[in-house]
Amino acid sequence: MSRPVLMTVDDDPGVSRAVARDLRRKYGSDFRIVRAESGADALDALKELTLRGEPTAAILADYRMPGMNGVEFLEQAMDIVPRARRALLTAYADTDAAIRAINVVDVDHYLLKPWEPPEEKLYPVVDALIETWRSVGDRSVEETKVLGHRWSAESFAARDFLARNSVPYRWYNIEEPDGARLLGTAGATADDVPVLVLPDGSVLRSPSESEIATAVGLTTTPATDFYDLIVIGGGPAGLGSAVYGASEGLRTVLVERQATGGQAGQSSRIENYLGFPDGVSGAQLTDRARRQAAKFGTEVLTARDVVGLEPRGSARVVKFGDGTEIAAHSVVLATGVSYRALQAPGVSDLAGRGVFYGSAATEAPTCKGLDVYIVGGANSAGQAAVFFSRHAKSVSLLVRGASLESSMSYYLIKQLEEIENVCVRTRTEVVEAQGDDHLERLVLRNNETGEQETVESGPMFIFIGAAPRTDWLDGVVVRDARGFVRTGPDLMTEGKPPAGWPLDREPYYLESSVPGVFVAGDVRSESVKRVASAVGEGAMAVTLVHRYLEEQ
């Protein structure tokens, strides 16, 4: 089998040879190094490699090249080798252009000239490109076939579940010839959708998420009934706790209701997370954290709905929706928050049929030529606007407030200003969603003047509010008026612990009103709603878990 290709493209022969030399020195035994001295030559080489079935792992292209600059070349290269990772080689003066390319063209990294010493400046970038390429793979995604209606909410839910869990699949619309043929071959009807055809030929009709998870090989059953630490929730806080807990020798299980990553996992690019100067997508960050947790021995249970928590002596018992349970010495609650439902006529009826909560990246290819609407004014909404601007005819960001300054990071506001097909509409609310089998129109209202207008609409993506969804903890731990879980100093009243607190000491900083049950991330009352703080709290919670276990 041929070695994967690392390609370097630079019009300066000396620079081209130097890059190829440094790449060959470290990667030559595992990769074939191919160099080209123009964008056109590189595109021809990529076409020939693809025809021969040789995979391309990564491309390093110089920004300033005559005839076709590096960004223009990488745009065209994406059509030929869409799974190859991409980096720009730039002079210091071109840094702004490189950052724009990262934001708009989805370039993975940029690398400044000179890159000496390569051990510090070149190889870490290439290592990251190769790691990402290997995790994504370079094979056609057709292991699991999903058959369904284009405007079926259940079909969307199945695709979204697979995508967020990084399970390769291929989508077939049963209203098109290929989809209809496969539906008949599977012995199913339109009433059965979604229908999943697994690699071994077995067929699932209208499966639940738990059934899908089991069928595609995700772990849903715990290996044992007792652990040192149960982490509930697989967002950044939960993954942080899982990594630190398992790496420090605790028997750790992470329980996730749908897919690891939480809201952050759906972000198209997080650019203000420490250590990722070029930004990182939520999916990439989640995948790395999940693999890191698994490396240290964390057990990850997917599609398990936690419905109860009960202290039994020194044990903390977690109850599942199917009646089963597991127990541990300690628990970290890291369930995060969910987007609040948009309360307007027609919205709930069209959910999953043109109305989506979160970025729903699986819908991006269907947005071509359409006017997309995004509701919300925080970072998640801004990141989605940047992402969908690459696919849609136009993107309108609907913001209830007078401006973005109070809710969105400055860097993201400046990005949006530079994207031609993104329009920010402040003081605007959705008052109705209209359509037959899918979203077709929106009624918008200016909340300052009261004026309304009806607009033709493609998909609408909603990013409003933060609902902690902690009703299952009612009567177990102390929560604030909005449902967020109180911890540590926030539990104290006139210097005294909450009623029923059984220990002589005060609750630790991240400890709930139940000793041994800690809280991390967005679900904690008064927490900072940022990825970095969630990861930090997840790690801090494990430190406090150790302190608690030493007392037992």
Side-chain angles (χ1 to χ4, degrees):
M1 186 174 180
S2 60
R3 291 176 295 169
V5 168
L6 297 178
M7 173 176 280
T8 173
V9 189
D10 198 303
D11 65 301
D12 184 325
V15 174
S16 179
R17 284 193 295 270
V19 176
R21 177 202 63 214
D22 288 340
L23 291 176
R24 195 171 289 111
R25 183 188 306 164
K26 180 173 183 181
Y27 306 103
S29 60
D30 298 317
F31 293 84
R32 188 156 74 90
I33 312 303
V34 174
R35 66 184 185 93
E37 295 181 5
S38 73
D41 289 345
L43 291 174
D44 289 340
L46 288 173
K47 292 174 184 175
E48 184 176 342
L49 290 168
T50 301
L51 288 173
R52 293 206 304 253
E54 298 186 44
T56 300
I59 305 170
L60 280 72
D62 186 47
Y63 174 65
R64 292 198 179 189
M65 294 189 293
M68 180 189 304
N69 67 35
V71 175
E72 294 167 339
F73 158 69
L74 289 174
E75 280 189 281
Q76 295 187 45
M78 288 169 65
D79 294 331
I80 304 171
V81 285
R83 294 180 182 84
R85 310 323 300 174
R86 302 164 292 277
L88 270 180
L89 188 62
T90 73
Y92 183 80
D94 296 324
T95 300
D96 288 343
I99 293 174
R100 282 197 298 272
I102 288 171
N103 296 330
V104 178
V105 188
D106 202 25
V107 172
D108 295 291
H109 294 275
Y110 70 89
L111 180 68
L112 289 175
K113 300 177 185 178
W115 59 89
E116 297 291 340
E119 290 78 10
E120 294 181 12
K121 298 182 179 180
L122 174 65
Y123 297 153
V125 170
V126 178
D127 285 344
L129 294 173
I130 292 171
E131 178 188 5
T132 302
W133 176 77
R134 281 177 170 156
S135 67
V136 173
D138 194 31
R139 59 190 184 278
S140 63
V141 182
E142 54 187 8
E143 283 82 355
T144 296
K145 301 176 177 66
V146 182
L147 320 179
H149 290 295
R150 170 69 182 89
W151 298 116
S152 160
E154 294 79 10
S155 297
F156 163 73
R159 289 186 291 135
D160 188 58
F161 178 80
L162 291 171
R164 293 182 61 191
N165 282 286
S166 301
V167 177
Y169 75 93
R170 178 163 293 186
W171 161 251
Y172 292 88
N173 187 340
I174 64 170
E175 296 176 350
E176 297 176 354
D178 286 348
R181 176 180 55 79
L182 283 171
L183 188 70
T185 303
T189 69
D191 293 334
D192 295 323
V193 300
V195 174
L196 272 65
V197 181
L198 302 173
D200 63 3
S202 58
V203 176
L204 298 180
R205 297 172 176 82
S206 302
S208 66
E209 287 185 349
S210 178
E211 290 171 332
I212 294 174
T214 301
V216 299
L218 299 176
T219 302
T220 59
T221 304
T224 184
D225 57 3
F226 199 91
Y227 297 84
D228 293 319
L229 173 63
I230 299 172
V231 180
I232 305 175
L239 287 166
S241 289
V243 168
Y244 280 91
S247 69
E248 293 173 12
L250 299 178
R251 289 172 299 166
T252 302
V253 60
L254 184 149
V255 182
E256 169 54 43
R257 181 173 59 88
Q258 188 177 44
T260 51
Q263 288 187 0
Q266 299 183 66
S267 296
S268 56
R269 187 170 291 276
I270 302 168
E271 298 190 60
N272 56 355
Y273 187 65
L274 184 67
F276 290 87
D278 308 327
V280 61
S281 74
Q284 289 173 335
L285 186 63
T286 296
D287 179 65
R288 291 181 181 189
R290 182 173 53 225
R291 287 188 284 120
Q292 191 173 17
K295 181 184 77 171
F296 290 121
T298 297
E299 187 180 332
V300 178
L301 303 182
T302 306
R304 295 306 302 264
D305 194 18
V306 176
V307 298
L309 174 64
E310 179 186 341
R312 292 183 192 165
S314 62
R316 302 293 176 258
V317 179
V318 170
K319 301 178 180 180
F320 297 120
D322 62 0
T324 60
E325 58 185 39
I326 56 175
H329 293 300
S330 58
V331 171
V332 172
L333 299 174
T335 51
V337 294
S338 301
Y339 293 115
R340 197 173 67 242
L342 177 60
Q343 301 298 327
V347 171
S348 61
D349 294 336
L350 296 171
R353 298 186 291 133
V355 173
F356 305 99
Y357 287 88
S359 62
T362 54
E363 295 299 300
T366 68
C367 293
K368 185 176 182 179
L370 299 178
D371 299 311
V372 168
Y373 287 82
I374 293 175
V375 182
N379 279 9
S380 53
Q383 290 162 351
V386 173
F387 173 70
F388 284 107
S389 69
R390 306 170 195 157
H391 304 273
K393 175 184 176 184
S394 71
V395 176
S396 295
L397 186 61
L398 309 180
V399 184
R400 186 172 57 180
S403 71
L404 292 172
E405 275 71 15
S406 62
S407 58
M408 188 177 293
S409 296
Y410 175 77
Y411 81 89
L412 203 46
I413 294 174
K414 302 305 291 183
Q415 275 185 38
L416 294 174
E417 290 175 352
E418 295 179 359
I419 303 176
E420 293 182 358
N421 64 335
V422 172
C423 171
V424 178
R425 299 184 56 168
T426 57
R427 298 190 181 279
T428 303
E429 299 181 46
V430 175
V431 296
E432 186 177 357
Q434 301 174 348
D436 294 327
D437 63 343
H438 67 281
L439 177 65
E440 298 175 83
R441 294 171 301 279
L442 292 172
V443 180
L444 308 180
R445 179 178 63 203
N446 184 300
N447 60 26
E448 186 174 35
T449 66
E451 295 180 359
Q452 294 190 7
E453 64 171 313
T454 301
V455 297
E456 299 295 318
S457 175
M460 174 173 67
F461 302 91
I462 302 170
F463 301 82
I464 58 172
R469 308 287 172 87
T470 55
D471 291 347
W472 63 280
L473 290 167
D474 187 32
V476 180
V477 297
V478 175
R479 300 177 296 154
D480 64 19
R482 296 179 298 162
F484 293 90
V485 182
R486 294 184 183 276
T487 60
D490 199 26
L491 289 167
M492 305 294 288
T493 304
E494 297 181 353
K496 296 181 180 179
W501 180 255
L503 304 180
D504 293 335
R505 63 168 176 82
E506 297 178 359
Y508 293 133
Y509 182 70
L510 297 180
E511 196 168 20
S512 73
S513 57
V514 175
V517 176
F518 299 86
V519 189
D522 290 359
V523 74
R524 190 177 68 83
S525 180
E526 304 301 326
S527 65
V528 178
K529 305 298 188 283
R530 288 289 186 269
V531 174
S533 62
V535 173
E537 287 190 6
M540 185 193 302
V542 172
T543 299
L544 298 177
V545 164
H546 281 293
R547 191 178 301 176
Y548 168 78
L549 294 177
E550 290 170 0
E551 301 171 349
Q552 304 307 300

